[in-house]
Amino acid sequence: MDAVDATVEKLRAQCLSRGALGIQGLARFFRRLDRDRSRTLDSGELQRGLAELGLVLDAAEAEGVCRRWDRDGSGTLDLEEFLRALRPPMSPAREAVIAAAFAKLDRSGDGVVTVDDLRGVYSGRAHPKVRSGEWTEEEALRRFLDNFDSSKKDGQVTLAEFQDYYSGISTSMDTDEEFVAMMTSAWQL
C-alpha cells in the first residue's frame, strides 16, 4: 500500500470514528474543509483538514493525494471526487452481482455497453418524454446510458464505469444481501 492509499484508509477510519457515517457526514466534512467556499478542495485545504484529524502530510504528500483523487484533471477535488475516494471497497458478492448485471446489458460481449446493446434489454418507448414526442426512443436510451457513463459521456459504458456508479449506491446499503436483492430485482437477474 502506498502513502496515498494509506492516507485514504486513515481518513476513512477518522471520519467513521467521528460519526461521519454515510455520504451526508462526508459531505459536511468536505464543506468544512472548503474554507474559500469554492466547492472544491485544493491541496492546501485538504492538508489543513487532514491535519485537524491528526493526519499530518507535508505539501508534496497533500499534492500527491489531490492528484490521485482528481479524476477530471482540474487540480482540485470536487465533492464527487472526494466521496469516491473515501468509499469503502465493495465485497466480492457486490462486485459479482454488478458484473452479472453488466454482462446482461453487454449483449455484444465486447466489454462496452452502448445504446445498441441497450435496445435488446431496455425499451424507451414507455418513457413519458418519448410518449409525448419530446424525445425519440434513441434519446431515452442514451439518457439512460448516461446515468452510468463517466463525466465525459461518450456513449460507451465500461464495466469500471458501471461498477463506479454502483459503488456509490453500495455505500448506502448495509448488507450484501440487501444490495444483491436490489440488483437482482432491478436487472431481473
Side-chain angles (χ1 to χ4, degrees):
M1 181 181 305
D2 69 10
V4 172
D5 291 335
T7 300
V8 171
E9 289 306 316
K10 288 178 186 173
L11 181 54
R12 257 189 218 128
Q14 284 286 342
C15 288
L16 293 173
S17 73
R18 292 173 178 252
L21 296 172
I23 292 173
Q24 289 180 337
L26 291 174
R28 278 192 301 274
F29 181 66
F30 177 92
R31 284 190 296 276
R32 192 169 62 76
L33 298 183
D34 181 19
R35 298 225 172 119
D36 66 2
R37 304 288 182 239
S38 64
R39 296 180 182 226
T40 62
L41 300 179
D42 60 30
S43 62
E45 289 171 320
L46 184 65
Q47 182 182 17
R48 284 187 296 279
L50 295 178
E52 288 176 23
L53 294 175
L55 300 172
V56 179
L57 303 177
D58 64 32
E61 290 170 322
E63 284 279 334
V65 170
C66 268
R67 265 193 311 280
R68 172 79 59 88
W69 294 354
D70 178 18
R71 294 173 64 118
D72 67 4
S74 67
T76 60
L77 302 176
D78 62 29
L79 178 60
E80 183 180 329
E81 291 167 329
F82 182 76
L83 293 175
R84 181 178 284 121
L86 292 175
R87 287 180 191 151
M90 287 188 293
S91 71
R94 293 179 191 219
E95 288 179 352
V97 76
I98 291 168
F102 183 83
K104 182 175 182 177
L105 288 177
D106 183 17
R107 296 187 38 110
S108 64
D110 63 358
V112 177
V113 175
T114 64
V115 169
D116 288 336
D117 289 313
L118 287 181
R119 280 192 189 93
V121 256
Y122 180 77
S123 172
R125 288 187 299 274
H127 192 286
K129 290 191 176 188
V130 172
R131 290 179 146 212
S132 73
E134 187 177 338
W135 289 354
T136 64
E137 186 175 1
E138 176 89 8
E139 287 173 292
L141 292 173
R142 178 61 189 247
R143 292 194 186 222
F144 178 73
L145 189 65
D146 283 350
N147 288 308
F148 309 105
D149 207 350
S150 67
S151 58
K152 293 184 175 94
K153 306 286 185 231
D154 62 1
Q156 298 184 354
V157 175
T158 64
L159 176 58
E161 289 170 322
F162 199 68
Q163 287 172 325
D164 190 48
Y165 173 84
Y166 277 109
S167 73
I169 293 171
S170 174
T171 60
S172 67
M173 302 186 102
D174 293 331
T175 67
D176 286 350
E177 292 77 19
E178 180 184 14
F179 184 81
V180 169
M182 179 274 301
M183 290 292 293
T184 301
S185 174
W187 294 104
Q188 298 175 354
L189 299 175

